[in-house]
Amino acid sequence: MREQVKKSRRKNQDFNYARPGALDMDVNQFAPLIGLFRRFRSLVLRREVEVVGRCNLCGKCCRSILLSDGGRWLRRMSRFERLVAEAPEHDRFRPIGRSEGGRLLFDCAMLAGDNTCSCHDARPALCSNYPSKSLYYKGGRLLDDCGYTYRAVTFRDVLLGRKPLRPPDFSALLQREIELKKDGS
C-alpha cells in the first residue's frame, strides 16, 4: 500500500526546470518574496499571468538548467538518481556541474545539433510546458532573448484604468447563494 501511495504521488508530482539566469535565484535572494508578491497580486486582481510568444529554437532552455522535484531545486546527485528511478523520463538530463548557489545543473541529452529536440513528440511534460506559470510564481523571469514572455496585469494597470479589475464570476456567486438558501431552509 505504501508503494502505491508513492506511485500515485509521483504521477501528480509537479516537476519543473529553469535556467539559473532565468530564475536569478542564485543572484537574487529575494526571488521567493518576488514570487509571493506575484501570487498575491494575481489573487487580489483575479488575473493569472499569461505566457505569450513562441519558441525561437535557440536551445538555451535545454542547456545548463536547474531541475526541481516537489518544489525544491535539486542539490544532491542522490536526489536526482531517486527522481530518475521514480520518473524514468528524467534520464535524458545529464548533470554538468553546479550553479553559484550549489544547485545541480543539467543539459538535455536529446538536444540535437540544430537546437531542436530529437524526440519532440515524446518529450516529458516539464519540457512541453516550458515556460510554466509556476516559474513566474517562484520569482523567476525568462531570458531576454527568449521568444516567450510573461504578461501579468499589475496594480498600476488597474489603478490607471489601463486594465479593468476582473469582477467575480456572477454565475458562481449566484450558485453559491442558491446553495446557501437551500441549506438554510
Side-chain angles (χ1 to χ4, degrees):
M1 171 133 165
R2 188 173 193 190
E3 191 167 313
Q4 188 177 22
V5 170
K6 192 175 186 179
K7 284 182 181 178
S8 66
R9 182 185 73 86
R10 182 55 60 192
K11 285 180 186 174
N12 298 324
Q13 188 71 33
D14 178 39
F15 301 110
N16 220 333
Y17 80 103
R19 292 191 31 82
L23 272 173
D24 279 343
M25 292 236 188
D26 294 329
V27 177
N28 185 356
Q29 70 261 12
F30 298 109
L33 291 175
I34 292 168
L36 187 63
F37 173 77
R38 288 174 174 175
R39 190 165 296 283
F40 170 75
R41 182 178 59 197
S42 74
L43 288 170
V44 169
L45 298 179
R46 295 183 213 101
R47 300 277 185 123
E48 279 283 319
V49 66
E50 292 178 75
V51 178
V52 295
R54 63 186 186 90
C55 183
N56 288 339
L57 299 176
C58 68
K60 290 180 181 177
C61 59
C62 302
R63 292 187 198 98
S64 297
I65 58 176
L66 300 168
L67 288 176
S68 160
D69 178 22
R72 302 185 72 178
W73 300 110
L74 297 180
R75 291 181 179 270
R76 293 188 308 267
M77 277 304 296
S78 60
R79 193 158 174 201
F80 174 65
E81 290 164 357
R82 186 175 54 221
L83 173 67
V84 170
E86 293 176 4
E89 67 270 15
H90 290 85
D91 188 36
R92 68 179 43 225
F93 298 107
R94 304 287 181 251
I96 59 165
R98 292 190 177 275
S99 68
E100 290 178 20
R103 295 170 181 91
L104 290 173
L105 289 174
F106 299 88
D107 276 353
C108 182
M110 299 299 163
L111 185 65
D114 62 351
N115 292 328
T116 59
C117 183
S118 60
C119 62
H120 188 269
D121 293 334
R123 67 187 195 260
L126 71 105
C127 296
S128 60
N129 293 336
Y130 183 82
S132 70
K133 293 178 182 181
S134 66
L135 290 177
Y136 178 80
Y137 291 123
K138 286 183 178 183
R141 65 176 179 81
L142 299 173
L143 296 173
D144 293 334
D145 54 351
C146 182
Y148 291 104
T149 58
Y150 290 120
R151 186 182 305 155
V153 175
T154 64
F155 288 120
R156 179 180 292 166
D157 291 335
V158 172
L159 292 173
L160 295 178
R162 292 186 286 212
K163 302 275 184 176
L165 180 65
R166 185 171 287 165
D169 183 15
F170 180 72
S171 60
L173 288 173
L174 185 59
Q175 185 65 32
R176 198 174 315 138
E177 282 292 320
I178 291 169
E179 289 173 6
L180 287 173
K181 286 188 180 188
K182 283 181 183 178
D183 291 341
S185 300

